[in-house]
């Protein structure tokens, strides 16, 4: 009986090691993501996104029961960005839009990366989610998000960029809004869904950090400077 107990303990320890390692790696990744990004939960109603043409055209014609939203951003020093991307606001924005769009396509259906920034009408679709670019300007890109099974367009995602030469920083921000027709009691998977959406955007912003950097060693080096 004693040998059986010892055997079960050993098996339990061996089984627990990879689980604990996986938990540690997830926790470490989350810590780095949180540390490297600025996040706001529940975008206030006075935010310009609610009065923007993209929002008004697709979501401003009705009263929604609830709007889930968040904004997350990265800020990095000018010295960390490739010089050719700082020649104009549009050059920097185009590179950011391309990186973010490629990250989305890779996440949704393992799509091949594009060498060109997205344009109005471009679509990234999987069996569950469809994203369509509806607006691209010099420093901002907007897209609608549709759940494919029921065809419900409830999401708006806006990416904007800024080059602040006075403070020697650049910034990239993502605003995500999801609209609901009814308010239902919160369940654990709804909290998980929001967390996954936020974590996904943080990961894509990390790709921007490495994609615009001067040198590979600058990967993941976010700045907490103020815009």
């Amino acid at each position: 009986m004693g040998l059986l107990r010892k055997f079960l303990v050993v098996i339990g320890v061996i089984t627990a090691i990879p689980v604990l390692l996986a938990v540690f790696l997830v926790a470490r990744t989350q810590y780095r993501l949180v540390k490297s990004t600025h996040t706001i939960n529940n975008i206030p109603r006075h935010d310009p996104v609610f009065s923007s043409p993209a929002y008004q055209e697709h979501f401003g014609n009705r009263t929604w029961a609830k709007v889930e939203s968040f904004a997350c951003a990265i800020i990095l020093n000018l010295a960390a960005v490739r010089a050719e991307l700082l020649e104009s606001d549009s050059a920097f924005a185009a590179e950011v839009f391309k990186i973010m769009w490629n990250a989305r396509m890779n996440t949704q259906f393992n799509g091949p990366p594009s060498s060109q920034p997205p344009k109005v009408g471009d679509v990234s679709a999987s069996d569950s989610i469809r994203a369509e670019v509806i607006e691209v300007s010099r420093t901002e890109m907007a897209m609608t998000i549709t759940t494919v099974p029921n065809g419900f367009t409830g999401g708006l995602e806006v990416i904007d960029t800024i080059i602040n030469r006075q403070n020697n920083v650049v910034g990239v921000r993502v605003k995500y809004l999801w609209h609901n027709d009814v308010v239902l009691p919160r369940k654990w998977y709804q909290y998980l869904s929001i967390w996954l959406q936020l974590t996904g955007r943080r990961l894509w912003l990390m790709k921007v950090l490495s994609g615009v950097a001067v040198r590979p060693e600058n990967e993941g080096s976010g700045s907490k400077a103020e815009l």
Side-chain angles (χ1 to χ4, degrees), residues 68-96:
E68 306 276 4
S69 63
F70 63 78
C72 57
I74 53 171
I75 302 171
L76 59 159
N77 296 323
L78 286 180
V81 181
R82 302 200 309 271
E84 68 271 18
L85 299 180
L86 300 175
E87 294 177 357
S88 66
D89 292 340
S90 57
F92 178 67
E95 183 68 11
V96 170

Side-chain angles (χ1 to χ4, degrees), residues 102-149:
N102 284 340
R104 169 177 284 283
M105 290 197 299
N106 181 69
T107 301
Q108 284 191 234
F109 61 95
N110 198 28
S114 172
S115 60
Q116 299 297 320
K119 59 185 182 301
V120 173
D122 282 356
V123 172
S124 174
S126 65
D127 292 338
S128 57
I129 296 294
R130 182 181 188 273
E132 180 177 354
V133 179
I134 58 171
E135 181 181 287
V136 179
S137 67
R138 292 178 63 253
T139 61
E140 186 173 285
M141 178 174 76
M143 67 193 78
T144 54
I145 312 296
T146 302
T147 51
V148 173

Side-chain angles (χ1 to χ4, degrees), residues 45-84:
R45 291 294 303 186
H46 63 263
D47 189 276
V49 70
F50 289 102
S51 58
S52 66
Y55 185 89
Q56 289 300 316
E57 179 181 351
H58 294 273
F59 302 99
N61 58 351
R62 59 185 295 183
T63 300
W64 298 94
K66 187 174 181 59
V67 180
E68 306 276 4
S69 63
F70 63 78
C72 57
I74 53 171
I75 302 171
L76 59 159
N77 296 323
L78 286 180
V81 181
R82 302 200 309 271
E84 68 271 18

Side-chain angles (χ1 to χ4, degrees), residues 19 45 51 56 62 71 76 97 100 105 111 125 127 132 137 149 157 161 164 170 175 197 202 206 213 217 221 223:
V19 174
R45 291 294 303 186
S51 58
Q56 289 300 316
R62 59 185 295 183
L76 59 159
F97 298 160
M100 292 289 286
M105 290 197 299
D127 292 338
E132 180 177 354
S137 67
E157 184 169 320
T161 65
N164 188 325
V170 299
K175 295 178 181 178
Q197 294 291 346
R202 285 170 168 165
M206 293 302 99
E217 56 262 33
S221 58
S223 169

Side-chain angles (χ1 to χ4, degrees), residues 35-49:
K35 185 178 179 181
S36 299
T37 58
H38 303 255
T39 302
I40 297 174
N41 291 307
N42 300 317
I43 299 172
R45 291 294 303 186
H46 63 263
D47 189 276
V49 70

